[in-house]
């Protein structure tokens, strides 16, 4: 038998073997493309070259205008009941966006956009409305509401992370304007916030055992957001802090361009995908002041971005923010065309990734260097006169023209940070009372 | 060693550049002060705009008098609107819309008419004239007299001067017009401007002009040699914070004087177009060297407040007084009046927010004086807001009601002025007969002023011209005796010092407070 004949008769086996090899090669190649993931439970220490944080300075004229453009969003979108829409013209809000609103009011007052009387009135209205919200069967506010009717939107589920942000705002409020303390206390007399945390028995033998966990599925269930929310959620009770800071599956790190950053693990239909979100760390810096962990992670993310930005042969810039989907409207808004958000909701983060205005402004406020300045200049084209700031740029560089409460609140917070430093500052002086803005300053 | 020093040089240069940019971007400066005026040849699109605007003056020309209706088809005009027509006529000639023959025909006619006008109490032109008969009329266009307006006359004086300087062949006609006017009640020794109105048949002379308009009107008197010290100084004023900008307004109480202290674009705009924010007598035509700095600064503030209003609230803003196509037919559409921002009021002070509009003359004027993305937006909003054969609409309602379907000489005239400004820079350009020049030949006006034996000089309150060496020569040559200014300046007006520098107020207060 000649070799040729032998090969001929073995052709089907050879094909199969080649197929296996090809398949295996593809798997190996794909594996190589994925960032390395390392599990680590060790904390992070601040780098030696961590830059000095900027000192407060007065806003420039243009910054003052940008802040007012952002505030215009709330002028347009505040409902008669006192709470604003989370998206321009869309009558819904979340616990998260309610927190954003309160922080935006505080920032706007600090920047002299609002008179003291107006911001007081706005805060009282918002607190009164929050106090009247219908609650879930557990006695806590739901994650999403209709902004006009104040009915629960979707299933009556709650959000511990959203509550965390609302708590940041309320805490700031307590410290800055104690006259609202009573209204805040009334909220927590009504809300059974303890129900956000459950004591769980281990359900699977293989899963690491945790005694406390968040009670519901989180729209923002990622390491960074948990870390951010943990600062105030731990004020609920001693179990709460443990529940938030213990991520359910252990914290993983990914290696991007040789720098290790936490893998955020945003939920997708295919399980967790490696992703990187800068916003929670930036929010920590703007609102509560950095700790070594959040400062270091933010610093590392910045380094990755900066390196890619300044490479001579450009690597594609990576996005550290994503477009958050609106909640599921399908069966909920009575007089509205159903909005099918299913696709957007389940899309992996890399498809909804954006270069966002909110993080551009936050970087600009927290780390003042040429890179953050360039980022901010890029975002400058995104203001819409009379409406506020658009969300950012999509991956294909088209404008993501959604105008939302979060973006505009964080623009205000960032500018307030430039002028006054972090939002919640227990050791800062109470600002001296000032006269309201008046026409007729003498020349 | 040498190489190293060379390496440091670009670094040093970089630091210098950084320092210069930083020092320019001080917190106190408005972006408006960095926007350059537009200049250069008109594009085809801009020429079309100019031709469209000129249509108004074709349609509303009155061949019997050479005057042009102030408002479409309504045969009445004022000195202000006639000056706007003179501006349009000048622009039409300079931009090549009409030829010299057409220009001369029209100019001869109107100058003759103005020269023969029946004046108010034989003093100054009445507030209104019938364009068909050149009779002085009241506001309902019935024969009669109602008074004179110092500001209208100021604007007319500016345009008479502009034409006299640009086209010296009309110098005699123009000088004769002004020589026929009696200024005894219009300007006082302190340089305050007075207007006149009739009360029970008796003339009353009252101070006229508020910050902005007052200085603009005074500039006209200044060009003809009058001392306008009090009218030309910004005081008394205060500042109102409007969208982060401290906008100056006149503090004379509108309730006490029944004159509204409106802050609008037009007064500053005209000053910018016609004088390039220079002193009226500045013969230098360098576009970015403003010899009247506070006027430029105040104009920047009025502009910036409007740009900021657009940026923040999204309302396209270019505010000026304007006509309406329905009652009450005329509003002051202001940046600030009577204590309120963005106040739109009638001349009686009635609040008319629905009449607020983007004024086309203000929009185009802002476009040419401030080259910015915002004025580009204004331009695209207005460029096609015209009707064939009628000219440009008066404005576009801010509330979205569409155009104000009214056409006026002032609106179309100022639009033509603005386009001419783009081509030629400031519109008042002095010709070569500089009085400092040895061969200077004085005009009819100057000859009369220095003549001691001209009895009308004192009677009509004509100014003293500053004597120049060449005028003296001429006096010596012809044996004319020169009038000299009274020796003591202080006995003329102790309370006003024209040379005292004006300190610029801060541009923003609350906004940037840390």
């Amino acid at each position: 038998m000649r070799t040729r004949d032998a090969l001929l008769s073995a052709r089907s086996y050879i094909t199969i073997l080649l197929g296996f090899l090809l398949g295996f090669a593809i798997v190996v190649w794909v594996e190589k493309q994925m960032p390395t993931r390392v599990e680590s439970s060790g904390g992070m220490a601040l780098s030696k070259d961590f830059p000095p944080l900027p000192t407060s300075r007065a806003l420039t004229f243009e910054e003052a205008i940008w802040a007012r453009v952002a505030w215009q969003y709330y002028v347009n979108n505040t409902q008669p009941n006192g709470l604003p829409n989370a998206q321009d013209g869309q009558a819904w809000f979340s616990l998260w966006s309610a927190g954003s609103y309160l922080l935006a009011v505080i920032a706007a007052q600090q920047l002299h956009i609002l008179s003291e009387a107006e911001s007081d009135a706005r805060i009282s209205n918002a607190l009164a409305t929050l106090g009247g919200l219908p609650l879930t069967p557990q006695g806590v506010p739901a994650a999403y509401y209709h902004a006009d009717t104040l009915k629960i939107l979707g299933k009556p589920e709650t959000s511990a992370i959203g509550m965390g942000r609302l708590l940041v705002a309320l805490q700031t409020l307590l410290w800055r304007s104690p006259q609202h303390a009573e209204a805040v206390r009334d909220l927590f007399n009504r809300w059974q916030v303890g129900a956000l945390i459950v004591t769980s028995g281990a359900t699977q033998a293989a899963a690491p055992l945790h005694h406390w966990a968040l009670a519901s599925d989180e729209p923002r269930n990622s390491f960074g957001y948990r870390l951010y929310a943990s600062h105030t959620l731990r004020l609920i009770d001693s179990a709460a802090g443990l529940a938030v800071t213990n991520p359910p599956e252990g914290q993983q790190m990914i290696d991007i361009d040789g720098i290790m950053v936490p893998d955020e693990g945003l939920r997708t239909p295919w399980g967790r995908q490696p992703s990187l979100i800068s916003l929670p760390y930036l929010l920590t810096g703007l609102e509560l002041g950095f700790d070594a962990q959040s400062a270091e992670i933010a610093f590392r993310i910045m380094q990755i971005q900066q390196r890619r930005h300044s490479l001579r042969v450009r690597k594609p810039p990576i996005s550290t923010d994503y477009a958050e989907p609106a909640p599921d409207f399908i069966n909920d808004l009575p007089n509205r065309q159903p909005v099918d958000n299913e696709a957007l909701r389940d899309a992996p983060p890399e498809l909804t990734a954006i270069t966002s205005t909110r993080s551009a402004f936050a970087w600009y406020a927290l780390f003042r260097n040429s890179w953050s300045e360039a980022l901010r200049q890029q975002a400058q084209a995104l203001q819409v006169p009379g409406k506020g700031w658009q969300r950012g740029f999509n991956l294909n560089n088209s404008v993501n023209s959604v105008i939302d409460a979060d973006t505009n609140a964080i623009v205000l917070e960032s500018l307030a940070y430039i002028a006054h430093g972090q939002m919640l500052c227990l050791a800062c002086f109470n600002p001296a009372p000032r006269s309201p803005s008046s026409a007729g300053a003498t020349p | 060693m040498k190489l190293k020093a060379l390496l440091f040089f670009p670094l040093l240069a970089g630091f210098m550049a950084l320092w210069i940019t930083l020092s320019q971007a001080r917190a106190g400066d408005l972006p408006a002060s960095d926007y350059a005026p537009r200049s250069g040849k008109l594009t085809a699109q801009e020429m079309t705009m100019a031709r469209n605007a000129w249509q108004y003056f074709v349609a509303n020309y009155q061949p019997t008098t050479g005057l042009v209706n102030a408002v479409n088809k309504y045969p009445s005009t004022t000195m202000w609107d006639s000056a706007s027509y003179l501006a349009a006529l000048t622009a039409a000639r300079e931009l090549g819309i009409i030829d010299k023959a057409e220009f001369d025909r029209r100019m001869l006619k109107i100058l003759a008419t103005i020269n023969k006008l029946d004046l108010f109490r034989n003093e100054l032109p009445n507030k209104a004239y019938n364009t068909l008969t050149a009779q002085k009329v009241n506001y309902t266009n019935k024969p009669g007299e109602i008074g004179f307006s110092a500001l209208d006359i100021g604007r007319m004086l500016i345009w008479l001067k502009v034409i006299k300087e640009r086209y010296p062949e009309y110098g005699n006609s123009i000088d004769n017009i002004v020589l026929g006017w009696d200024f005894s009640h219009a300007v006082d020794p302190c340089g305050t401007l007075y207007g006149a109105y009739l009360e029970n048949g008796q003339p009353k002379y009252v101070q006229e002009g508020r910050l902005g308009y007052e200085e603009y009107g005074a500039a006209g008197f200044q060009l003809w040699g009058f001392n306008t010290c009090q009218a030309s100084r910004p005081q008394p004023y205060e500042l109102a914070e409007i969208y982060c900008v401290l906008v100056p307004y006149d503090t004379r109480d509108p309730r006490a004087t029944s004159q509204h202290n409106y802050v609008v674009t037009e007064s500053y705009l005209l000053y910018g177009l016609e004088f390039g924010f220079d002193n009226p007598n500045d013969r230098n035509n360098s576009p970015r060297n403003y010899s009247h700095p506070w006027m430029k600064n105040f104009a920047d503030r009025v502009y910036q407040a409007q740009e900021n209003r657009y940026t923040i609230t999204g309302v396209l803003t270019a505010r000026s007084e304007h006509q309406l196509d329905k009652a009450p037919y005329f509003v002051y559409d202001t940046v600030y009046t009577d204590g309120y921002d963005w106040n739109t009021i009638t001349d009686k002070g009635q609040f008319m927010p629905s009449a607020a509009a983007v004024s086309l003359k203000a929009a185009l004027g802002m476009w040419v004086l401030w080259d910015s993305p915002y004025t580009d937006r204004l331009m695209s909003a207005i460029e096609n807001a015209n009707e064939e054969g009628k000219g440009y609409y008066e404005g576009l309602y801010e509330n979205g009601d569409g155009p104000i379907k009214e056409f006026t000489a002032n609106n179309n005239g100022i639009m033509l002025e603005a386009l001419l400004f783009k081509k030629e820079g400031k519109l008042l350009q002095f010709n070569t007969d500089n009085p400092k020049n040895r061969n200077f030949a004085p005009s009819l006006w100057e000859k009369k002023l220095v003549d001691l034996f001209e009895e009308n000089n004192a009677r009509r309150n004509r100014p003293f011209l500053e004597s120049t060496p060449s005028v003296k020569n001429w006096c010596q040559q012809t044996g004319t005796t020169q009038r000299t200014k009274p020796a003591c300046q202080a006995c003329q007006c102790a309370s006003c010092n024209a040379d005292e520098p004006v300190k610029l107020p801060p541009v923003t207060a609350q906004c940037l407070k840390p």
Side-chain angles (χ1 to χ4, degrees):
Chain A
M1 203 191 241
R2 282 177 302 163
T3 327
R4 221 170 125 233
D5 292 337
L7 279 177
L8 204 63
S9 55
R11 64 191 167 191
S12 56
Y13 298 100
I14 290 172
T15 317
I16 287 169
L17 281 176
L18 279 178
F20 273 128
L21 277 176
L22 194 67
F24 192 64
I26 289 174
V27 168
V28 167
W29 182 79
V30 167
E31 281 284 315
K32 287 264 180 201
Q33 297 304 304
M34 301 292 277
T36 332
R37 302 172 83 172
V38 183
E39 200 153 325
S40 138
S41 54
M44 284 191 155
L46 205 59
S47 306
K48 280 216 177 71
D49 51 350
F50 188 83
L53 291 171
T55 48
S56 300
R57 62 160 169 84
L59 293 190
T60 67
F61 182 76
E62 281 170 319
E63 286 166 344
I65 303 299
W66 296 334
R68 281 157 179 80
V69 171
W71 177 251
Q72 189 67 22
Y73 173 86
Y74 288 104
V75 173
N76 299 341
N77 281 289
T78 308
Q79 296 276 356
N81 60 36
L83 285 176
N85 303 333
Q87 238 178 53
D88 192 37
Q90 305 241 38
W92 62 273
F93 71 89
S94 61
L95 284 181
W96 181 275
S97 79
S100 281
Y101 171 59
L102 292 175
L103 288 164
V105 173
I106 297 166
Q109 195 213 325
Q110 271 190 305
L111 295 173
H112 305 278
I113 299 171
L114 289 185
S115 66
E116 216 160 305
E118 187 182 349
S119 66
D120 268 359
R122 278 180 173 270
I123 287 169
S124 312
N125 279 346
L127 290 179
T129 309
L130 282 174
L133 288 180
L135 304 178
T136 65
Q138 289 79 39
V140 275
Y144 298 106
Y145 286 92
H146 288 287
D148 41 6
T149 59
L150 299 178
K151 283 194 196 122
I152 292 175
L153 180 59
K155 278 175 255 166
E157 282 175 334
T158 188
S159 158
I161 306 289
M163 179 58 81
R165 180 157 178 77
L166 187 55
L167 275 169
V168 174
L170 293 174
Q171 183 74 15
T172 311
L173 208 57
L174 284 183
W175 193 253
R176 283 182 183 274
S177 11
Q179 66 269 35
H180 297 297
E182 205 175 337
V184 173
R185 192 199 58 203
D186 288 347
L187 288 184
F188 291 99
N189 279 339
R190 197 158 167 261
W191 295 348
Q192 308 298 315
V193 280
L196 292 170
I197 315 298
V198 288
T199 314
S200 69
T203 45
Q204 293 168 303
L209 182 74
H210 293 294
H211 296 288
W212 296 284
L214 298 185
S216 64
D217 222 9
E218 275 297 331
R220 287 185 183 78
N221 194 9
S222 71
F223 176 67
Y225 281 124
R226 279 169 166 266
L227 196 63
Y228 165 67
S230 71
H231 290 105
T232 47
L233 279 182
R234 65 174 56 139
L235 301 175
I236 294 177
D237 60 29
S238 43
L242 292 171
V244 215
T245 47
N246 255 333
E249 279 125 45
Q251 184 47 46
Q252 292 180 318
M253 307 288 280
I254 44 175
D255 180 331
I256 300 176
D257 298 349
I259 294 177
M260 301 295 289
V261 279
D263 163 15
E264 297 286 347
L266 277 179
R267 186 153 299 197
T268 70
W270 304 284
R272 287 162 174 278
Q273 303 282 325
S275 59
L276 182 59
I277 301 169
S278 53
L279 190 66
Y281 309 109
L282 297 174
L283 286 182
T284 310
L286 292 176
E287 291 162 8
L288 306 156
F290 275 133
D291 52 34
Q293 198 176 18
S294 57
E296 177 61 18
I297 296 170
F299 180 53
R300 289 188 187 182
I301 294 175
M302 181 173 77
Q303 281 173 307
I304 296 171
Q305 302 258 34
Q306 271 180 316
R307 266 188 219 182
R308 295 216 169 197
H309 180 76
S310 61
L311 280 180
R312 202 153 293 173
V313 183
R314 284 279 168 92
K315 277 195 185 179
I318 55 170
S319 163
T320 57
D321 205 350
Y322 65 102
E324 273 168 45
D328 201 345
F329 281 155
I330 294 177
N331 302 314
D332 269 288
L333 291 180
N335 302 321
R336 192 179 290 255
Q337 197 75 6
V339 186
D340 184 11
N341 275 310
E342 200 81 44
L344 194 62
R345 222 175 148 66
D346 293 338
E350 58 265 33
L351 290 188
T352 55
I354 50 173
T355 308
S356 67
T357 308
R358 53 187 187 186
S359 43
F361 268 91
W363 286 118
Y364 173 67
L366 288 167
F367 295 95
R368 278 171 223 162
N369 51 38
S370 55
W371 168 77
S372 64
E373 172 64 27
L375 206 60
R376 203 270 309 144
Q377 276 177 12
Q378 202 185 0
Q380 202 184 325
L382 293 169
Q383 49 181 315
V384 181
K387 295 215 162 237
W389 292 83
Q390 289 166 324
R391 208 183 240 167
F393 293 102
N394 292 320
L395 277 184
N396 60 6
N397 261 337
S398 61
V399 172
N400 186 328
S401 58
V402 174
I403 299 176
D404 61 20
D406 225 22
T407 300
N408 288 290
I410 293 167
V411 170
L412 278 166
E413 283 179 51
S414 303
L415 294 168
Y417 180 89
I418 290 175
H420 302 276
Q422 67 206 48
M423 301 291 289
L424 177 61
C425 181
L426 303 191
C428 300
F429 284 111
N430 209 13
R434 60 184 181 83
S435 59
S437 171
S438 68
T442 335
Chain B
M1 255 343 255
K2 219 171 192 179
L3 201 72
K4 223 172 190 177
L6 271 176
L7 274 174
F8 275 116
F9 181 70
L11 195 70
L12 207 68
F15 274 125
M16 280 295 282
L18 190 73
W19 179 76
I20 287 168
T21 44
L22 280 179
S23 60
Q24 275 177 344
R26 273 175 305 129
D29 278 345
L30 292 179
S33 54
D34 289 336
Y35 299 150
R38 292 180 204 253
S39 67
K41 268 174 67 178
L42 295 196
T43 62
Q45 168 214 6
E46 290 152 20
M47 272 310 295
T48 312
M49 287 190 78
R51 287 204 186 86
N52 289 341
W54 177 247
Q55 300 274 304
Y56 177 86
F57 301 96
V58 175
N60 284 282
Y61 181 68
Q62 299 292 1
T64 48
T65 57
L67 295 170
V68 162
N69 304 336
V71 178
N72 192 29
K73 292 184 181 157
Y74 187 64
S76 169
T77 190
T78 65
M79 282 299 108
W80 184 282
D81 298 297
S82 298
S84 288
Y85 167 51
L86 291 179
L89 195 53
T90 309
R93 172 175 171 179
E94 297 287 326
L95 296 173
I97 299 169
I98 56 172
D99 57 6
K100 178 170 188 299
E102 171 74 6
F103 175 83
D104 285 344
R105 264 195 300 276
R106 282 178 174 248
M107 189 59 84
L108 286 169
K109 193 92 195 176
I110 189 176
L111 289 183
T113 303
I114 297 177
N115 198 21
K116 284 182 293 194
L117 285 181
D118 201 358
L119 303 177
F120 171 79
R121 305 258 148 170
N122 260 331
E123 289 177 16
L124 285 166
N126 191 40
K127 278 182 183 171
Y129 285 92
N130 186 319
T131 53
L132 290 166
T133 60
Q135 268 183 312
K136 57 184 173 186
V137 291
N138 57 22
Y139 280 134
T140 55
N141 216 19
K142 300 267 157 33
E145 58 180 8
I146 42 177
F148 64 78
S149 156
L151 298 183
D152 287 10
I153 288 159
R155 176 155 168 77
M156 181 51 93
L157 285 172
I158 291 170
W159 273 94
L160 291 174
K161 184 75 172 181
V162 171
I163 288 166
K164 180 178 159 183
E165 293 289 334
R166 274 179 183 262
Y167 316 110
E169 60 271 28
Y170 291 108
N172 272 3
S173 306
I174 288 171
D175 283 349
N176 270 314
I177 291 173
V178 186
L179 283 168
W181 291 353
D182 176 355
F183 294 95
S184 48
H185 294 116
V187 199
D188 78 358
C190 281
T192 310
L193 299 183
Y194 291 85
Y197 68 97
L198 281 179
E199 200 177 75
N200 305 326
Q202 285 307 305
K204 286 263 185 190
Y205 299 99
V206 287
Q207 187 275 330
E208 190 181 329
R210 290 292 177 269
L211 185 65
Y213 278 114
E214 187 177 18
E215 285 72 19
Y216 173 72
F221 287 86
Q222 235 178 311
L223 284 175
W224 291 87
F226 291 92
N227 159 35
T228 57
C229 183
Q230 210 131 69
S232 293
R233 296 194 62 79
Q235 286 83 4
Y237 74 95
E238 276 200 34
L239 301 160
E241 178 150 9
I242 302 174
Y243 290 113
C244 283
V245 186
L246 288 179
V247 176
Y249 65 92
D250 202 298
T251 39
R252 284 168 278 193
D253 192 331
R255 289 164 298 188
T257 57
S258 67
Q259 278 201 56
H260 302 289
N261 55 353
Y262 30 84
V263 178
V264 291
T265 315
E266 185 161 331
S267 48
Y268 294 102
L269 177 67
L270 291 175
Y271 202 97
L273 295 177
E274 289 158 18
F275 303 108
F277 298 117
D278 282 343
N279 277 320
N281 293 311
D282 184 347
R283 289 175 166 261
N284 200 341
N285 187 16
S286 47
R288 297 205 69 177
N289 172 23
Y290 307 109
S291 60
H292 200 323
W294 73 255
M295 190 61 102
K296 165 71 175 148
N297 181 278
F298 284 15
D300 284 343
R301 294 164 191 256
V302 173
Y303 166 81
Q304 190 73 50
Q306 300 185 76
E307 185 189 312
N308 287 359
R309 179 170 185 246
Y310 173 70
T311 315
I312 294 168
T313 67
V315 183
L316 207 58
T317 307
R319 287 280 177 111
S320 201
E321 52 171 65
H322 59 73
Q323 299 277 330
L324 295 173
D325 47 8
K326 50 186 186 245
Y329 299 107
F330 185 84
V331 285
Y332 296 109
D333 193 8
T334 67
V335 174
Y336 180 95
T337 345
D338 300 1
Y340 298 98
D341 305 353
W342 312 109
N343 200 357
T344 304
I345 55 167
T346 66
D347 54 348
K348 305 270 188 307
Q350 190 200 348
F351 183 43
M352 290 282 302
S354 63
V358 173
S359 158
L360 264 64
K361 57 189 170 184
L364 191 67
M366 283 156 75
W367 174 82
V368 76
L369 285 178
W370 290 277
D371 186 348
S372 71
Y374 173 59
T375 54
D376 285 335
R377 235 167 243 214
L378 280 176
M379 181 63 155
S380 39
I382 63 159
E383 62 178 326
N384 297 316
N386 67 312
E387 249 175 55
E388 190 61 39
K390 288 185 173 176
Y392 276 90
Y393 292 122
E394 187 74 358
L396 306 171
Y397 283 112
E398 274 183 8
N399 63 11
D401 278 357
I404 301 176
K405 292 192 173 145
E406 189 57 271
F407 305 88
T408 62
N410 195 36
N411 184 47
N412 287 287
I414 293 176
M415 288 178 78
L416 278 162
E417 258 188 66
L419 291 166
L420 180 59
F421 178 93
K422 189 191 172 202
K423 185 170 175 234
E424 297 189 351
K426 70 174 185 179
L427 301 180
L428 174 64
Q429 289 176 358
F430 291 89
N431 65 20
T432 48
D433 64 353
N434 186 335
K436 299 231 164 74
N437 191 313
R438 271 168 45 86
N439 299 322
F440 166 69
S443 66
L444 191 61
W445 169 255
E446 281 143 340
K447 282 187 228 173
K448 291 273 186 192
L449 289 192
V450 294
D451 189 346
L452 191 61
F453 305 107
E454 167 65 54
E455 54 179 27
N456 271 331
N457 276 339
R459 207 152 50 77
R460 294 188 167 173
N461 187 24
R462 288 190 199 143
F464 298 91
L465 269 195
E466 229 170 80
S467 60
T468 58
S470 44
V471 171
K472 251 179 213 160
N473 285 342
W474 175 84
C475 292
Q476 287 152 2
Q477 274 167 27
T478 57
T480 311
T481 318
Q482 200 185 343
R483 283 205 302 161
T484 46
K485 232 180 233 183
C488 150
Q489 186 75 41
C491 28
Q492 284 212 334
C493 179
S495 61
C496 188
N497 176 9
D499 301 325
E500 195 187 328
V502 173
K503 196 169 159 279
L504 293 179
V507 289
T508 183
Q510 293 287 331
C511 259
L512 305 188
K513 246 182 209 162

